[in-house]
């Protein structure tokens, strides 16, 4: 079975990004991996904060600078791991983070600069890419979601069906 076509969602402002994040949060199941990509300031942390809020995380989610990965308890039965590979120097470090083991144990991981770890992270994941507005609008973003592998392809159609309405609301 091949992966479904990616879905593109234009959002006008941070609230739009937050609604997309909430829709993704609602689709999450234990063991899921979400890789976020996009340039500095594109909205990866903002997305993660909204996703965490939707999962009942009360702690403030900040970028895990020195640790690379930080766990947050949620109210939905799994731990949310927030990782940021921006400062990654080698993929060996990604393996050392033990994310694959944590996913196997039922955690959900959201990874900023996730493409830097793609080679050593599980192939089954949801891709979320953030692009700035080509015309230079400060708050518009194009968010592209792509499903890779069985756990996501099975759920992607219902997630994708929610998204355009979610973004426009
Ligand atoms: N539509 C939008 N979605 C998300 N953030 C937006 C949007 N419009 C404006 N912003 C602003 O852009 C900034 C995004 O910062 P954020 O830290 O989330 O980026 P990032 O992708 O995590 O960057 P980094 O690579 O440095 O970690 C915030 O200040 C946020 O308020
Ligand atoms: Mg960030």
């Amino acid at each position: 079975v091949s992966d479904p076509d990616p879905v593109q969602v234009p959002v006008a402002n941070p609230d739009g990004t937050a609604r997309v994040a909430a829709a993704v949060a609602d689709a999450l199941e234990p063991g899921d991996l979400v890789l976020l990509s996009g340039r500095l300031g594109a909205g990866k942390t903002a997305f993660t904060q909204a996703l965490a809020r939707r999962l009942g995380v009360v702690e403030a989610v900040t970028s895990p600078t020195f640790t690379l990965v930080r766990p947050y308890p949620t109210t939905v039965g799994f731990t949310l791991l927030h990782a940021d590979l921006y400062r990654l120097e080698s993929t060996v470090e990604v393996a050392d983070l033990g994310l694959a083991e944590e996913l196997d144990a039922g955690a959900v991981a959201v990874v900023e600069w996730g493409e830097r770890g793609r080679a050593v992270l599980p192939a089954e994941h949801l891709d979320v890419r953030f692009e700035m507005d080509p015309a230079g609008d400060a708050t518009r973003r194009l968010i592209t979601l792509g499903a890779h592998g069985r756990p996501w392809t099975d759920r992607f159609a219902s997630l994708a069906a929610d998204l355009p309405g979610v973004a426009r609301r």
Side-chain angles (χ1 to χ4, degrees):
V1 186
S2 59
D3 293 335
D5 288 339
V7 170
Q8 298 201 310
V9 189
V11 298
N13 50 46
D15 280 350
T17 297
R19 286 192 293 269
V20 172
V24 170
D26 290 347
L28 289 172
E29 289 179 12
D32 280 340
L33 173 64
V34 181
L35 301 185
L36 309 182
S37 58
R39 58 166 244 200
L40 290 169
K44 301 178 294 297
T45 299
F47 177 94
T48 307
Q49 288 167 338
L51 180 143
R53 217 177 300 133
R54 181 70 157 206
L55 299 176
V57 173
V58 287
E59 231 179 302
V61 173
T62 56
S63 264
T65 304
F66 296 107
T67 52
L68 294 180
V69 58
R70 198 172 282 175
Y72 295 91
T74 73
T75 55
V76 295
F78 54 74
T79 296
L80 174 68
L81 301 171
H82 178 208
D84 189 333
L85 304 184
Y86 182 66
R87 286 174 187 75
L88 193 75
E89 277 162 12
S90 86
T91 50
V92 176
E93 284 178 76
V94 182
D96 288 348
L97 294 179
L99 285 177
E101 290 78 5
E102 303 255 25
L103 293 169
D104 281 344
V108 165
V110 174
V111 184
E112 296 190 38
W113 295 95
E115 71 276 12
R116 297 185 179 192
R118 201 183 294 277
V120 293
L121 287 171
E124 300 181 327
H125 64 272
L126 182 72
D127 245 329
V128 184
R129 298 171 183 272
F130 298 84
E131 287 170 75
M132 311 301 280
D133 181 52
D137 184 287
T139 66
R140 288 187 187 282
R141 302 287 188 269
L142 182 63
I143 304 179
T144 303
L145 296 99
H148 301 279
R150 254 324 269 286
W152 277 107
T153 55
D154 289 354
R155 268 178 278 149
F156 195 61
S158 69
L159 170 60
D162 280 350
L163 288 170
V166 154
R168 219 174 287 120
R169 197 181 299 150

